[in-house]
Amino acid sequence: MSLIRVGTASWTDPTLIQSKAFYPRGCSSAEERLRFYASRFPMVEVDSSYYAMPSERNAQLWAERTPDDFTFNLKAFRLFTGHQTPAKALPPDIAAELAPLFETKRNVYYKDLPDSLRDEMWARFERAVRPLRDAGKLTALHFQFAPWVTPSPDWKRHLEECVGRLPDYLLAYEFRNRTWYDGRHDDVTLAMERDLGVAHVVVDEPQVGAKSIPQVWGVASPQLAIVRMHGRNHETWDIKGATVASDRFDYDYSDDELREVATPIRELAQRVAELHVVFNNNNGDQGQRNGRSLMAILGAEAFGAESREA
């Protein structure tokens, strides 16, 4: 029977903690919060690893503080996904080596790094996530590519490189440029993902033009598919000058909307060994509330829905 795991993108979002609506009184340390979160959900997506390189120590602590049946997806560091990367996001010694570049640039990109530093960054990233893999608590490394990553030959070579750099891991690819899924190239993109051996990511998000990806309920890897619930806030989807993620992903799914999406989730789950549904709406406890509601709607089909505390 396929597993459907429901969780959220992060368990430490500032507005979640400030809301005081999810964590009980006195649950204030990093350890207490993760242990409490894992008593309510069977998986979580780590988003902090996009903003800064993850650490081996944190990965070890995450593995120790969660139940045996708990699992993580971990987002790839921004440099690997085509995003602009400021000096403060890099390890200090790497930033120091790139100091001549930062004299004229606010950000660097993957292509700017010499081969030796690329090798070093990949090696550090792999070492940092290895404790989760060794503990059997890492399902996928989630690559959310920049909006300017298109199906060009250069970018396709980069997608191949990411897989080659992490041969012992399952990768999941989330694209943010509509050229990948424009209705004419959907099957081509899915076939490419299958050839690469990566998991396909379905997105639920506002449809507001080239920066929006439609729902493509397909399968690339028989091991895993991911559904990411970004919310449906058209007004904030392409907002300029947002300082925190909750400015953009402020949306509260209704139970009717969750029942609507539960149908294709059930159908997709029959085609993979495991399906993850990740709520990325994150103003206050929106994601946690909506995640628990979806688990109740799915009932016994949602892993942990009955065993986790209400």
Side-chain angles (χ1 to χ4, degrees):
M1 182 177 178
S2 299
L3 287 178
I4 302 178
R5 295 180 183 264
V6 178
T8 65
S10 173
W11 66 96
T12 58
D13 187 84
T15 64
L16 170 64
I17 295 171
Q18 292 163 11
S19 73
K20 300 182 180 180
F22 179 67
Y23 293 111
R25 184 184 298 274
C27 185
S28 57
S29 70
E31 178 175 357
E32 289 170 332
R33 286 172 180 153
L34 180 54
R35 289 188 184 279
F36 179 82
Y37 175 94
S39 74
R40 266 58 180 173
F41 293 97
M43 66 83 57
V44 76
E45 178 186 281
V46 178
D47 71 336
S48 60
S49 50
Y50 164 81
Y51 296 99
M53 287 282 280
S55 75
E56 188 174 357
R57 175 59 177 159
N58 278 345
Q60 184 63 49
L61 290 174
W62 295 339
E64 293 172 358
R65 293 170 176 175
T66 49
D68 291 342
D69 61 358
F70 190 85
T71 194
F72 293 80
N73 291 338
L74 189 139
K75 288 184 79 171
F77 181 55
R78 60 191 303 158
L79 186 76
F80 304 140
T81 57
H83 286 88
Q84 67 274 35
T85 305
K88 64 181 181 180
L90 292 165
D93 60 322
I94 301 292
E97 289 200 48
L98 295 172
L101 279 176
F102 284 114
E103 288 179 1
T104 57
K105 295 183 174 186
R106 292 179 58 188
N107 299 289
V108 297
Y109 293 83
Y110 187 76
K111 62 181 176 58
D112 296 326
L113 271 65
D115 290 344
S116 60
L117 288 189
R118 291 182 187 178
D119 293 344
E120 179 63 18
M121 289 292 288
W122 281 110
R124 292 189 191 187
F125 182 77
E126 192 281 325
R127 284 198 302 271
V129 302
R130 195 185 307 166
L132 284 176
R133 185 202 66 182
D134 290 348
K137 292 186 176 183
L138 178 64
T139 298
L141 297 173
H142 187 102
F143 282 68
Q144 186 181 53
F145 291 102
W148 43 87
V149 174
T150 61
S152 68
D154 285 347
W155 281 120
K156 286 184 176 181
R157 281 191 289 271
H158 182 73
L159 302 183
E160 294 171 358
E161 180 183 353
C162 293
V163 172
R165 293 282 192 171
L166 298 163
D168 299 324
Y169 296 82
L170 175 63
L171 277 55
Y173 281 1
E174 179 181 355
F175 297 109
R176 298 169 66 200
N177 187 294
R178 202 178 185 92
T179 54
W180 294 97
Y181 300 112
D182 60 2
R184 293 181 294 115
H185 297 92
D186 299 5
D187 290 340
V188 174
T189 299
L190 285 167
M192 179 199 70
E193 290 180 327
R194 291 188 195 101
D195 290 343
L196 292 174
V198 303
H200 174 62
V201 178
V202 182
V203 292
D204 185 89
E205 63 190 41
Q207 297 301 297
V208 292
K211 294 183 179 179
S212 296
I213 305 298
Q215 292 179 357
V216 178
W217 295 92
V219 168
S221 168
Q223 295 174 254
L224 176 71
I226 298 175
V227 179
R228 295 190 85 227
M229 306 291 286
H230 291 299
R232 299 176 178 180
N233 193 330
H234 291 74
E235 288 72 25
T236 61
W237 185 245
D238 199 24
I239 191 173
K240 307 300 181 186
T243 57
V244 291
S246 55
D247 288 344
R248 186 180 178 203
F249 301 108
D250 180 3
Y251 191 79
D252 208 343
Y253 284 94
S254 69
D255 284 350
D256 284 345
E257 288 174 318
L258 295 176
R259 280 190 285 268
E260 168 196 310
V261 79
T263 298
I265 284 173
R266 290 187 176 105
E267 293 172 353
L268 189 63
Q270 299 307 309
R271 302 169 59 191
V272 290
E274 195 161 324
L275 176 72
H276 291 182
V277 184
V278 180
F279 282 85
N280 190 43
N281 54 330
N282 61 356
N283 190 347
D285 68 333
Q286 288 171 338
Q288 286 69 30
R289 281 190 292 103
N290 292 166
R292 292 293 298 177
S293 294
L294 180 63
M295 291 172 74
I297 290 167
L298 292 171
E301 294 170 87
F303 182 78
E306 296 179 349
S307 61
R308 259 104 184 143
E309 297 176 29

